[in-house]
Amino acid sequence: MAVCIAVIAKENYPLYIRSTPTENELKFHYMVHTSLDVVDEKISAMGKALVDQRELYLGLLYPTEDYKVYGYVTNSKVKFVMVVDSSNTALRDNEIRSMFRKLHNSYTDVMCNPFYNPGDRIQAFDNMVTSMMIQVC
Amino acid sequence: MADTVLFEFLHTEMVAELWAHDPDPGPGVSAGLRGEEAGATKGQKMSLSVLEGMGFRVGQALGERLPRETLAFREELDVLKFLCKDLWVAVFQKQMDSLRTNHQFLAFTCGLLRGALYTLGIESVVTASVAALPVCKFQVVIPKS
């Protein structure tokens, strides 16, 4: 289960960010912010590499001692960043990919909503995101 | 899948509604009316840009939804290939015979193309020209940055 999920726009400002309500949420915000550099690196590497491996899923961005950070970028350069707890029995790659796929689908639905202006904060994600995050009792 | 005629009706009504306030004098006549009808032509330009804006927003949504399972686009060429194949088929497969001459009917479509390109990272200007029915040319101009 994810500990923090963030959706970041093309211009690198957050459209949606939510973390489990532990103390020190700011730490997660910093982690997401620093992971943006890694995302940019991967995107530019993907552009130059001759390897025919152009995937939207970026994989593990960087691990810290407590957490692991995964990234995913869409064709419209919107980035999804997910922070998961390392102590959790290592979530398999497939599960992370399916979580990102769900996020991408929800984001596309939000985009298609005519009442949503591209670039605004996203309000509609909460239900879906709650189901992905840890239940803190 | 919804019937294409639904969109055609909606589109026709949109154009009719926006045009209702400013009757179109036609391309040949507008030159002569330039002096007095400056207000009216400005109204038409507004309607055209409203239509184009609507198309733009729809194009943005399409640009998100259609390339979902395809791999990441690496360069402009990939984006254009996507535009010409996937987007065109998805949108125009069903509408190929209903394009009309007047600019107002094409404004929405130009906006659609511009929106899809913008969402995929390319700023452009799209104009349409009709030489002879049923052929319609869309010109996409990408300024060198």
Side-chain angles (χ1 to χ4, degrees):
Chain A
M1 300 295 125
V3 167
C4 170
I5 292 186
V7 178
I8 295 152
K10 189 162 45 168
E11 294 85 6
N12 284 341
Y13 63 87
L15 289 173
Y16 179 83
I17 180 162
R18 175 116 171 268
S19 26
T20 50
T22 51
E23 74 287 350
N24 205 6
E25 272 186 57
L26 206 53
K27 170 178 69 175
F28 294 133
H29 289 219
Y30 279 145
M31 283 179 77
V32 169
H33 193 243
T34 51
S35 68
L36 284 180
D37 281 331
V38 187
V39 171
D40 280 338
E41 223 180 272
K42 292 228 173 199
I43 294 181
S44 58
M46 192 163 68
K48 298 183 194 136
L50 296 172
V51 182
D52 195 33
Q53 187 198 35
R54 319 167 308 170
E55 275 217 337
L56 299 177
Y57 174 66
L58 298 174
L60 182 66
L61 297 177
Y62 69 90
T64 60
E65 57 181 30
D66 291 323
Y67 302 103
K68 293 197 245 201
V69 184
Y70 292 90
Y72 180 100
V73 69
T74 67
N75 273 316
S76 47
K77 300 293 171 265
V78 167
K79 304 149 187 108
F80 300 128
V81 176
M82 193 182 318
V83 182
V84 288
D85 205 333
S86 284
S87 58
N88 219 330
T89 48
L91 283 172
R92 289 209 317 249
D93 211 37
N94 295 349
E95 291 170 17
I96 309 266
R97 275 179 203 259
S98 71
M99 296 215 282
F100 274 128
R101 202 170 315 134
K102 268 201 287 183
L103 266 176
H104 193 178
N105 289 346
S106 303
Y107 175 73
T108 316
D109 288 338
V110 166
M111 250 324 236
C112 292
N113 179 0
F115 296 113
Y116 170 74
N117 297 319
D120 292 347
R121 289 266 158 139
I122 301 182
Q123 315 290 340
F125 268 6
D126 290 323
N127 289 342
M128 193 223 25
V129 167
T130 330
S131 66
M132 282 197 207
M133 308 224 315
I134 296 185
Q135 308 297 328
V136 178
C137 44
Chain B
M1 276 302 275
D3 214 358
T4 53
V5 72
L6 289 173
F7 175 70
E8 285 178 30
F9 283 153
L10 181 64
H11 188 208
T12 315
E13 273 313 304
M14 277 198 303
V15 171
E17 177 60 31
L18 286 169
W19 222 251
H21 310 291
D22 319 291
D24 182 3
V29 186
S30 54
L33 291 174
R34 213 179 316 149
E36 26 174 352
E37 232 90 0
T41 31
K42 211 164 104 176
Q44 279 156 34
K45 288 216 176 93
M46 270 284 296
S47 318
L48 273 182
S49 60
V50 167
L51 270 178
E52 214 245 352
M54 287 200 260
F56 184 77
R57 182 70 186 88
V58 175
Q60 279 185 306
L62 269 183
E64 276 296 337
R65 206 178 258 287
L66 283 182
R68 213 144 42 155
E69 288 311 314
T70 62
L71 303 171
F73 296 143
R74 245 195 286 169
E75 9 161 275
E76 238 167 60
L77 189 61
D78 286 334
V79 177
L80 284 175
K81 274 200 287 199
F82 160 76
L83 191 83
C84 297
K85 291 196 210 146
D86 300 326
L87 186 78
W88 215 262
V89 166
V91 173
F92 293 111
Q93 186 72 323
K94 319 197 171 167
Q95 282 197 5
M96 203 99 71
D97 17 346
S98 69
L99 290 175
R100 332 239 175 131
T101 38
N102 299 336
H103 288 293
Q104 62 255 38
F105 282 100
L106 295 175
F108 184 84
T109 324
C110 289
L112 188 92
L113 293 173
R114 190 166 69 90
L117 280 170
Y118 177 78
T119 252
L120 295 169
I122 302 184
E123 296 226 5
S124 58
V125 176
V126 181
T127 48
S129 58
V130 182
L133 279 178
V135 177
C136 172
K137 269 199 189 159
F138 290 100
Q139 194 177 33
V140 179
V141 178
I142 304 176
K144 273 212 169 96
S145 55

